[in-house]
Amino acid sequence: MLARSPALLNQSGPTEFVFRPFTLVPEFQALLFLLFLLLYLLILCGNTAIIAVVCTHSSLRTPMYFFLCNLSLLEICYTTAVVPLMLSNLSGPQKPVPLAGCGAQMFFFVTLGSTDCFLLAVMAYDRYVAICHPLHYTLLMTRRLCVQLVTGALGLALFLSLQLTALIFTLPFCGRRRQINHFLCDVPPVLRLACADTRVHQAVLYAVGILVLTLPFLLICVSYVFIAAAILRIRSAAGRRRAFSTCSSHLTVVLLQYGCCSLVYLRPSSSATEDEDRQIALVYTFVTPLLNPLIYTLRNKDVKGALRNAVVGKAASDLR
């Protein structure tokens, strides 16, 4: 249960938050609702398809696809923590969110987003072992180790998110109803609404951002330095292309995820504007989860083949 400060308890009524609408024009609201609903459904369908294909095809039961399956599951949960409430506000008047509801959304959003970043670092390590130590790959990347890595990523994210969320919601928020210039209860916009000194909280946010973004990204960079060196030692051009193709999809996702999140959480607060944060948040809420399944299916022959076989098999069974 999140701690509450005496300043909150002394208010005349419970603290509530409302999100600033994207537009006040009803026609534009309806258009945005349809657009975001379509993107959300595409995210659900695309990532669910990857999970289904990986789970049903024995040829894809390798560590790389085990991590990809978990990444897709994270993307589904990640967007579901944000988009339904966002669509609800677009379909009518802005609904007030109680303090506990805002804290819960922040906790799940930060937890799932952090796990996503840690998992991308784990996937980079998997590619490093596969390309730099191919003969020992099956011995090193055992099923038990893969489960431990995913569990460790989730456990560390839960720990950091719980500490950060609890710290943010010990702050007093003056007034019964506060407007958040965002479409979700993210840490930076909620911090701006506190009527107290937030320098310590900003410092903790930067520290968490370094742990979640900078350190995993450095590990990914180090892994790819060794991977690039190993690829350059491959004599055949076909072998180099095959090795690079297994990494290019992951690198594309890494650049999208870490680039957008770093712009929001690691840049100085004096250089950040609320409108810019909200626009960038749209990218990692909709674009990145939508592109992940597309990137991995369009650039991965194994996944494309499994999807093709699944579609052909389904069509054949329907014709019988």
Side-chain angles (χ1 to χ4, degrees):
M1 186 174 181
L2 300 176
R4 299 181 66 178
S5 70
L8 289 175
L9 296 174
N10 291 334
Q11 292 179 14
S12 58
T15 300
E16 294 178 332
F17 298 94
V18 291
F19 301 114
R20 201 190 83 177
F22 286 97
T23 177
L24 297 177
V25 180
E27 292 77 10
F28 286 162
Q29 280 190 327
L31 184 63
L32 287 174
F33 175 86
L34 293 175
L35 173 62
F36 292 146
L37 177 61
L38 175 62
L39 291 174
Y40 180 53
L41 293 176
L42 289 174
I43 290 168
L44 294 182
C45 293
N47 286 285
T48 301
I50 286 184
I51 294 172
V53 166
V54 171
C55 291
T56 55
H57 286 74
S58 58
S59 61
L60 300 181
R61 288 174 189 170
T62 63
M64 181 175 73
Y65 297 112
F66 172 75
F67 295 133
L68 176 58
C69 184
N70 280 275
L71 182 66
S72 292
L73 179 60
L74 276 175
E75 300 292 15
I76 292 173
C77 298
Y78 179 77
T79 52
T80 301
V82 176
V83 178
L85 180 59
M86 179 185 180
L87 293 175
S88 175
N89 284 323
L90 281 170
S91 63
Q94 293 290 307
K95 285 81 174 175
V97 180
L99 188 73
C102 188
Q105 187 184 56
M106 181 184 293
F107 171 73
F108 286 111
F109 179 76
V110 175
T111 297
L112 295 167
S114 300
T115 307
D116 204 330
C117 292
F118 293 143
L119 188 58
L120 289 174
V122 169
M123 293 173 76
Y125 173 72
D126 172 70
R127 293 298 82 210
Y128 159 75
V129 176
I131 293 174
C132 298
H133 304 282
L135 299 179
H136 300 92
Y137 180 65
T138 55
L139 295 175
L140 294 173
M141 298 302 296
T142 62
R143 183 74 175 183
R144 181 180 179 183
L145 177 62
C146 294
V147 172
Q148 288 175 340
L149 288 171
V150 172
T151 304
L154 179 58
L156 181 56
L158 282 168
F159 174 77
L160 293 174
S161 178
L162 181 61
Q163 302 301 314
L164 180 62
T165 308
L167 181 65
I168 297 300
F169 283 89
T170 59
L171 285 167
F173 297 96
C174 302
R176 184 175 178 273
R177 180 171 294 186
R178 306 300 307 273
Q179 186 181 68
I180 301 176
N181 188 12
H182 214 294
F183 57 85
L184 65 100
C185 287
D186 202 359
V187 179
V190 171
L191 267 180
R192 294 188 184 105
L193 299 180
C195 51
D197 187 358
T198 62
R199 283 177 294 183
V200 172
H201 302 75
Q202 290 283 0
V204 172
L205 176 59
Y206 285 132
V208 172
I210 290 172
L211 287 172
V212 172
L213 296 171
T214 306
L215 292 182
F217 185 71
L218 289 176
L219 290 174
I220 292 172
C221 291
V222 171
S223 297
Y224 274 101
V225 167
F226 287 104
I227 289 171
I231 291 176
L232 291 175
R233 288 197 297 269
I234 299 175
R235 293 182 180 180
S236 69
R240 286 196 297 269
R241 283 196 300 271
R242 187 167 56 252
F244 179 74
S245 67
T246 64
C247 301
S248 57
S249 301
H250 178 255
L251 270 176
T252 306
V253 173
V254 165
L255 293 175
L256 280 170
Q257 180 76 12
Y258 283 87
C260 293
C261 292
S262 297
L263 286 175
V264 173
Y265 297 103
L266 294 181
R267 65 178 175 175
S269 56
S270 58
S271 67
T273 67
E274 296 180 3
D275 288 334
E276 287 175 351
D277 284 353
R278 188 159 72 156
Q279 291 164 7
I280 296 170
L282 284 173
V283 175
Y284 60 72
T285 301
F286 286 101
V287 178
T288 306
L290 178 61
L291 287 181
N292 283 357
L294 290 176
I295 290 169
Y296 278 108
T297 53
L298 293 177
R299 299 184 66 87
N300 190 297
K301 292 182 179 179
D302 293 335
V303 177
K304 282 195 295 185
L307 281 172
R308 191 182 303 113
N309 293 337
V311 172
V312 171
K314 181 67 168 62
S317 63
D318 290 342
L319 291 175
R320 290 190 189 123

